[in-house]
Amino acid sequence: MERIHRTIELTHSTSPTSLAFFRVLLASYALLFVLPIGTSLPELSASLFHPPPGLPRLFGGFPSSAAVIVGNVIAASFAFMLLIGYRARATAVGLTLSLLTLNAWQFSAGKIDHGILFVMAPMMFAWSGWHRTWSVGKPATPADASQPTLLDGHAGNRCAFLFAMMIGLSMGTAAIAKIYGGWFDVGTSSTLGYAILVNWYDQRPGLLFETARQTMAPWMWEAMDWTAVAFELAAMVAFLRRSWWRWWLVVAVLFHTGVWVKFSIVFAANLLAYAAFVRWDSFWPLASRDDAGDDASRTPAWVWAWAIAIAVVATTHALVAQTSLMRSLPQEARGLIFCVPALAIAAGWALRQLLGLFPRRHTPATTTSAG
């Protein structure tokens, strides 16, 4: 039990500044690239209403325009409050619940997107202590200081471990579905078949698809099937060790970048989820002075400026386009916004780790003797 306790407490170490930055990143992504959700649902025919298990099954059809607007306004309000750190625990839970509700209605039209990791992230980190840095007002304190609290020094580590375990299990179940779907069948190539479907039938040409189709042998496409399944299965074990997990994240970024250039699909929600395990304070060490221990540090001016700018841009785009900015951008722009920065961070970390394997030569210091 002590070993399990240490694994949960110390495997995925984080810091208040990193958690606060991740909080700002999540909220910004929700405002810019996720909301509004379901604006076209009231225009759909009732015959298309086939909801998955959940809240929409209690109703006989799609929601009204007023209900969609109210739901998106509530979710956007939670996202903005989370960005500036106002009652960040409660708003994180509220953001997850509102996004779950809106997505449940969105999926009732048949297509289910792969955004569950991002949707669950705010609730997963609600009790991580990310409200103690860059927050509006002082955090709530227990009435009896002698009572134990979840918000101790390892709260963020525990939340990160739980989130890593959730990612690992979700990837593992995806691998199991691929196995049952015939991805190990050497007579067919699921990767090539899906690439042709997306690039030719859906008319979404990937940047390197034609080059890959003309140069790669059939066994290479089949190897990609097996590699994808192995990569997803490995996540079920990798989260148990910090070093394993970080190398798995590097492979994950490479995997999603490859999906972008060959299949013209950008898994932005997954890349945002992986950002929870980046030590963002290492990018600017001076930001650590914002950590205030048990006292809340004020939201910096740049966070306020960023929050107001994001709110103005997101609101204007939602009113004009009636959809999220993500759906308005071509796949090439999505890849540049999400895959390229993630690839740069992953490559930088991997290079630093590989360089650390080589011992450095130390030049002996010359000494002078006093006569």
Side-chain angles (χ1 to χ4, degrees):
M1 291 302 298
E2 180 64 24
R3 186 173 181 178
I4 294 175
H5 181 76
R6 288 199 308 269
T7 299
I8 296 174
E9 294 276 318
L10 304 176
T11 299
H12 301 292
S13 61
T14 184
S15 69
T17 303
S18 291
L19 290 171
F21 187 90
F22 180 58
R23 189 194 75 214
V24 172
L25 200 62
L26 278 180
S28 302
Y29 176 76
L31 287 170
L32 275 181
F33 299 108
V34 176
L35 299 171
I37 298 174
T39 54
S40 61
L41 292 180
E43 304 173 0
L44 298 180
S45 171
S47 60
L48 299 177
F49 185 71
H50 294 285
L55 180 64
R57 286 200 172 185
L58 301 177
F59 300 86
F62 294 109
S64 63
S65 299
V68 172
I69 293 174
V70 170
N72 279 283
V73 169
I74 291 175
S77 301
F78 281 136
F80 182 81
M81 289 189 289
L82 183 64
L83 201 161
I84 62 175
Y86 180 74
R87 299 188 179 276
R89 276 181 287 172
T91 54
V93 175
L95 179 59
T96 291
L97 294 179
S98 58
L99 289 176
L100 279 175
T101 303
L102 288 171
N103 278 314
W105 287 109
Q106 177 78 1
F107 300 159
S108 63
K111 185 178 185 299
I112 298 179
D113 295 323
H114 301 79
I116 189 62
L117 295 180
F118 161 76
V119 171
M120 295 304 300
M123 181 177 289
M124 286 286 181
F125 285 90
W127 284 269
S128 65
W130 64 2
H131 67 292
R132 295 183 178 273
T133 303
W134 301 348
S135 61
V136 177
K138 293 184 177 181
T141 56
D144 186 359
S146 64
Q147 295 295 323
T149 176
L150 290 174
L151 298 178
D152 55 25
H154 292 157
N157 299 356
R158 288 194 292 266
C159 292
F161 182 88
L162 180 64
F163 193 52
M165 182 174 65
M166 175 183 170
I167 295 175
L169 294 177
S170 65
M171 287 290 178
T173 55
I176 293 173
K178 287 182 174 62
I179 294 174
Y180 278 101
W183 282 55
F184 281 169
D185 184 359
V186 295
T188 60
S189 175
S190 301
T191 303
L192 178 58
Y194 194 77
I196 291 175
L197 175 67
V198 171
N199 284 268
W200 291 353
Y201 181 77
D202 294 340
Q203 295 295 310
R204 291 188 303 174
L207 297 177
L208 299 180
F209 168 70
E210 286 299 329
T211 302
R213 186 182 65 84
Q214 296 173 10
T215 58
M216 290 179 58
W219 68 267
M220 295 180 181
W221 288 101
E222 182 61 28
M224 291 181 63
D225 291 357
W226 287 61
T227 303
V229 175
F231 155 72
E232 292 178 339
L233 285 176
M236 300 182 70
V237 179
F239 75 91
L240 294 173
R241 290 281 297 272
R242 182 181 180 183
S243 58
W244 297 349
W245 184 245
R246 294 201 169 189
W247 279 112
W248 184 88
L249 290 176
V250 171
V251 176
V253 172
L254 294 174
F255 175 82
H256 291 306
T257 303
V259 171
W260 165 45
V261 296
K262 288 186 179 180
F263 299 89
S264 193
I265 301 174
V266 178
F267 287 93
N270 287 24
L271 295 175
L272 257 291
Y274 304 154
F277 306 97
V278 177
R279 289 298 298 263
W280 296 104
D281 52 353
S282 64
F283 287 88
W284 55 90
L286 292 178
S288 61
R289 66 186 180 183
D290 291 331
D291 297 345
D294 293 333
D295 298 326
S297 63
R298 294 288 183 179
T299 301
W302 72 266
V303 174
W304 274 105
W306 176 260
I308 294 173
I310 290 294
V312 171
V313 172
T315 303
T316 303
H317 185 272
L319 293 175
V320 174
Q322 297 292 309
T323 186
S324 66
L325 182 60
M326 178 73 78
R327 297 183 181 276
S328 301
L329 294 174
Q331 293 291 337
E332 291 79 2
R334 302 183 196 182
L336 292 175
I337 294 173
F338 295 101
C339 292
V340 172
L343 187 62
I345 294 173
W349 180 87
L351 181 62
R352 186 170 60 181
Q353 300 302 310
L354 293 175
L355 291 177
L357 298 176
F358 300 95
R360 296 182 180 180
R361 292 183 178 181
H362 297 279
T363 304
T366 58
T367 58
T368 59
S369 60

